[in-house]
Each structure stands twice: as structure tokens, then as C-alpha cells.
Amino acid sequence: NAGVTQTPKFQVLKTGQSMTLQCAQDMNHNSMYWYRQDPGMGLRLIYYSASEGTTDKGEVPNGYNVSRLNKREFSLRLESAAPSQTSVYFCASSDQGALMPQHFGDGTRLSIL
Amino acid sequence: AQSVTQLDSHVSVSEGTPVLLRCNYSSSYSPSLFWYVQHPNKGLQLLLKYTSAATLVKGINGFEAEFKKSETSFHLTKPSAHMSDAAEYFCVVIAQGGSEKLVFGKGTKLTVNP
């Protein structure tokens, strides 16, 4: 009963390095999301995908790119990491509309030095 | 613009006593409101949602919330706290008819003492 799976769980990068965060869901949901969570800030939407083949910017998209590879997978890429991108990243999925996440992964804790 | 204010950043209760987590919202349109729970080192889990049907909404794990338009509130309650309820709780609003942006509150950390 996997739900939403994120990899890796932890990562440390140097400024300027690139990396891709992976997310997969096995619930056949149409919508998928990437959020970042910072202390005292709640969650902020980076990008979302309402259906396979579509992606849209959220509240804080700068410095990120996404790919909806297929219905199951939605990846988040940092092309040139910056210390301000140190955060916990959550992927989520939903079958109840484009802006209401139902199931979240356990997060990727990313530190950028 | 829509917004959410969680009135307490921390709430501490004893096991077996009632829980009240307060949330006020601001929205120019008829809102949809949600409560999510986040246990340590885990993602968020949807507890309950209000989408303009019954004003008293029942969720999972014995939680419920009441939508009060006159008070612009959507407080989360539980009659009797359990140790497993210790977590962070987020109140969330989507304003229908507006930008439909999902806005998270800053969270309330619930501590349950034995």
C-alpha cells in the first residue's frame, strides 16, 4: 500500500549543483503537486500537474522545473541549487480537483550548502 | 484575497481532555476549507473538508470542524485527546470563484501530555 513515494529522503548539495527529486503514485490519480515546507511558513505550491501532459506554475516556481513523465510520475528539478532552496519538499496527488491534494509523500529533506 | 489565520502556534492538552484548534479565514468568495495533520517526519494527511454542504463536518480519527460564516471560523475539535493525536495541524482555504489558490495556515503544534 505505497501511496505516494518520494526519493531520495535526504540530500545535501553544494550551491550550483543540480538534482532531480522523484515522485511516484500508485493510486491512478490525475493531479500531482510539488510543495516546499519551511519553518513557520506552512506549505507553498511550487508546481502542479492537473493531468498527464500538463503542468502549471504555483506560488513559488522560480528556480525549479518539473516533468510529468506519465500518469504515475512527477519529478522536480533544481538546475542550479541555491541555499534559499534548502527546505523539505513534498509531493502529493489527488483525484478531487486540480488544487486539493489528498495524499502526500513523506518528504525529501534537502540542504544546500 | 483569501487568507487563513491559525490563532495558536502551540496547544498543549492532557490525554482524555478536549482538543480545540482555532482557525479563522478571510475570503471574498464562498470558501472551501480543510484541515490537514502532519505527524513528525511524515507528509500531510487530509483530516476533513468543508465544501458548502453541512456546516458540521466529521473527519477521521474522531475530529470534527464547524463552519461558522458569521464568525469566519473553522475550528477543529475532538472530544477526547489521544497520545497519537500529537502532531502539527494545518488549516487550509481554497476560494471558489477567485484564483482558486490553495492557502495554508502556518500550523498549530498539538502536544498531548500523559
Side-chain angles (χ1 to χ4, degrees):
Chain A
N1 201 17
V4 178
T5 303
Q6 292 183 236
T7 55
K9 295 188 184 303
F10 303 93
Q11 185 71 49
V12 179
L13 293 178
K14 295 181 180 178
T15 298
Q17 287 185 316
S18 62
M19 82 160 294
T20 299
L21 309 186
Q22 307 286 353
C23 175
Q25 51 94 7
D26 61 2
M27 294 168 284
N28 203 36
H29 286 168
N30 284 320
S31 300
M32 296 186 73
Y33 316 80
W34 276 105
Y35 287 91
R36 59 178 289 173
Q37 183 178 32
D38 301 292
M41 299 284 288
L43 269 73
R44 293 181 291 171
L45 181 64
I46 305 171
Y47 272 93
Y48 68 97
S49 170
S51 61
E52 185 179 354
T54 69
T55 61
D56 288 283
K57 294 179 180 179
E59 191 179 350
V60 289
N62 291 343
Y64 305 95
N65 286 302
V66 290
S67 296
R68 184 73 183 267
L69 304 169
N70 47 55
K71 193 170 186 179
R72 289 187 64 248
E73 298 172 289
F74 188 38
S75 62
L76 178 72
R77 182 161 178 84
L78 287 69
E79 291 290 353
S80 178
S84 61
Q85 294 177 304
T86 293
S87 189
V88 182
Y89 291 85
F90 288 98
C91 178
S93 71
S94 170
D95 66 355
Q96 295 197 8
L99 286 171
M100 205 202 86
Q102 291 173 278
H103 300 273
F104 283 76
D106 288 343
T108 295
R109 283 146 186 83
L110 182 61
S111 293
I112 298 160
L113 308 177
Chain B
Q2 60 272 27
S3 66
V4 164
T5 302
Q6 292 185 241
L7 298 169
D8 307 291
S9 57
H10 290 88
V11 170
S12 182
V13 301
S14 298
E15 190 175 19
T17 64
V19 175
L20 170 64
L21 305 182
R22 299 183 294 164
C23 173
N24 286 354
Y25 71 91
S26 172
S27 175
S28 303
Y29 301 91
S30 178
S32 292
L33 292 154
F34 311 84
W35 277 98
Y36 287 85
V37 60
Q38 184 179 29
H39 288 93
N41 299 314
K42 294 291 185 182
L44 277 70
Q45 179 183 18
L46 181 63
L47 268 181
L48 51 79
K49 61 181 178 180
Y50 166 78
T51 54
S52 77
T55 56
L56 182 62
V57 182
K58 294 189 183 299
I60 61 172
N61 300 335
F63 284 94
E64 62 183 35
E66 186 171 8
F67 174 72
K68 292 187 176 180
K69 187 175 181 179
S70 60
E71 299 176 10
T72 61
S73 69
F74 190 58
H75 301 334
L76 182 69
T77 60
K78 184 174 181 178
S80 176
H82 191 273
M83 296 297 291
S84 61
D85 295 328
E88 189 154 20
Y89 293 79
F90 293 93
C91 182
V92 182
V93 64
I94 298 176
Q96 304 298 332
S99 67
E100 299 200 9
K101 176 184 168 183
L102 196 72
V103 178
F104 282 79
K106 294 186 177 182
T108 298
K109 186 174 182 180
L110 176 66
T111 300
V112 181
N113 301 306

